[in-house]
Amino acid sequence: MNYGLLLWDRSNSLKLNRLNNGFVLYKHSCIFCSISSSGNRSSKTFKPKKNIPEGSHQYELLKHAEATLGSGNLRMAVMLPDGEDLNEWVAVNTVDFFNQINMLYGTITDFCSEDSCPLMSAGPKYEYHWADGTNIKKPIKCSAPKYIDYLMTWVQDQLDDETLFPSKIDTNKNVVAKTILKRLFRVYAHIYHQHFDAVMQLQEEAHLNTSFKHFIFFVQEFNLIDRKELAPLQELIEKLTTKDR
C-alpha cells in the first residue's frame, strides 16, 4: 500500500509530500504540535484527553518534548534529556501518544463501524483479540471499534492509576508502559491498513504519518516494542525511518 509519506515539518510548518524520490513542498499554517486547533475534524477525540497537571515536573518534561519537536529532528526529540529519569520520560511520552492516537482515531470513527470492521485487524494477515487480564481474561474476537474502545478505556485506567503514572512506572521491571505502547501501535496499524483512504479524504495523512514516525522513533530508542509486533507496518516503518539513519 502507498501511504504517500506525507509529513509535517515541525520546524517551519511546511507540508512535505514525498513523490518520485523527492519532496514537493506546500506552505501550510498548521503543524502537528497544534493539531488540536487545526480544524473541527482534528479536534474530535475518541476518549477524553489525558492532561498532565500544570506546574508538575511531568508537565515541564512535556513542554520540553514539545519544544524539542519544534526543531524538526524527531530522532533527537525522543532522546532522554540530560539528568532526567527514564521512567518519567517514558510515562510522559506515553500519555502524549495516547492523546495523539486518541485524536487521530477520533477523526475516522465515522468510517470504522461494526459493519465495516467486524474484526480488529491490520490487513489480511493480522487479527487482534482483546483481553485485559482482569475484566476479560480470555482473548475474545470483537469488532475494531469495540476493540479500540476496550483498548483506550484500559489505557485511560492505567494512566489514571497514581501507582503507575506518571512517576512510578519502571520500564525494566513493569510491563505496563510496554503493553500500552504495543496496543496503541495496533490502532495505528488498523488505521493504515483499513482506513488510509478515509485519512486521505480528510487530508489528515500528514498528521498520521508524523505522529507514527515520532511514535516509532520513540519505541525504537528505548526498545519498548518487540520487532515482531511491528510486522504489520514494517515496510512503512522502513520508508519513514530510512532517511533519518
Side-chain angles (χ1 to χ4, degrees):
M1 183 178 291
N2 179 13
Y3 299 111
L5 293 190
L6 188 63
L7 304 171
W8 289 113
D9 183 336
R10 303 174 188 230
S11 60
N12 59 8
S13 304
L14 290 177
K15 193 176 183 182
L16 305 179
N17 190 5
R18 189 168 189 172
L19 298 171
N20 300 323
N21 299 317
F23 285 104
V24 180
L25 282 67
Y26 303 91
K27 283 287 186 180
H28 201 280
S29 60
C30 174
I31 58 176
F32 183 78
C33 293
S34 60
I35 180 175
S36 62
S37 61
S38 63
N40 291 332
R41 289 195 307 269
S42 294
S43 61
K44 179 181 178 181
T45 59
F46 181 60
K47 294 288 184 180
K49 182 179 179 181
K50 171 68 177 177
N51 292 313
I52 295 176
E54 289 190 33
S56 67
H57 182 60
Q58 292 76 29
Y59 183 80
E60 296 306 315
L61 279 177
L62 181 60
K63 293 291 109 178
H64 172 87
E66 291 176 354
T68 311
L69 283 170
S71 71
N73 187 333
L74 289 177
R75 283 284 186 200
M76 184 175 295
V78 301
M79 293 179 180
L80 179 67
D82 291 341
E84 296 296 345
D85 180 75
L86 173 60
N87 299 318
E88 274 196 304
W89 183 241
V90 170
V92 165
N93 279 275
T94 299
V95 171
D96 189 39
F97 287 125
F98 167 77
N99 286 332
Q100 289 185 34
I101 296 169
N102 183 23
M103 188 172 293
L104 287 164
Y105 184 68
T107 66
I108 57 95
T109 51
D110 290 344
F111 302 91
C112 187
S113 67
E114 300 279 338
D115 292 331
S116 66
C117 303
L119 293 173
M120 177 61 177
S121 62
K125 295 182 179 180
Y126 301 95
E127 181 178 308
Y128 301 111
H129 299 171
W130 178 255
D132 58 21
T134 304
N135 298 316
I136 301 176
K137 296 183 178 181
K138 184 178 180 180
I140 60 171
K141 285 187 177 184
C142 54
S143 67
K146 188 65 175 177
Y147 183 100
I148 294 172
D149 183 54
Y150 280 138
L151 188 161
M152 301 300 270
T153 300
W154 176 82
V155 173
Q156 278 186 314
D157 290 342
Q158 309 311 302
L159 299 183
D160 288 339
D161 188 338
E162 293 294 334
T163 67
L164 297 175
F165 282 85
S167 61
K168 294 184 179 180
I169 189 163
D170 187 326
T171 55
N172 295 315
K173 298 177 182 178
N174 195 318
V175 298
V176 175
K178 293 181 179 180
T179 303
I180 289 174
L181 293 167
K182 176 181 72 175
R183 290 177 171 177
L184 289 177
F185 167 81
R186 295 171 182 175
V187 183
Y188 281 119
H190 179 73
I191 293 173
Y192 273 113
H193 277 283
Q194 312 303 136
H195 300 296
F196 197 72
D197 286 345
V199 171
M200 293 185 67
Q201 179 182 331
L202 296 171
Q203 298 183 331
E204 297 288 354
E205 63 268 34
H207 296 150
L208 175 63
N209 285 342
T210 304
S211 174
F212 182 63
K213 185 175 182 179
H214 179 201
F215 178 89
I216 287 299
F217 280 1
F218 188 82
V219 299
Q220 288 178 339
E221 177 73 13
F222 302 108
N223 298 312
L224 295 169
I225 301 180
D226 290 340
R227 182 180 174 85
K228 65 180 181 181
E229 293 284 347
L230 303 175
L233 293 177
Q234 192 56 50
E235 182 181 352
L236 174 63
I237 291 169
E238 290 175 1
K239 287 180 179 179
L240 286 173
T241 61
T242 296
K243 76 181 188 70
D244 292 275
R245 290 173 184 167

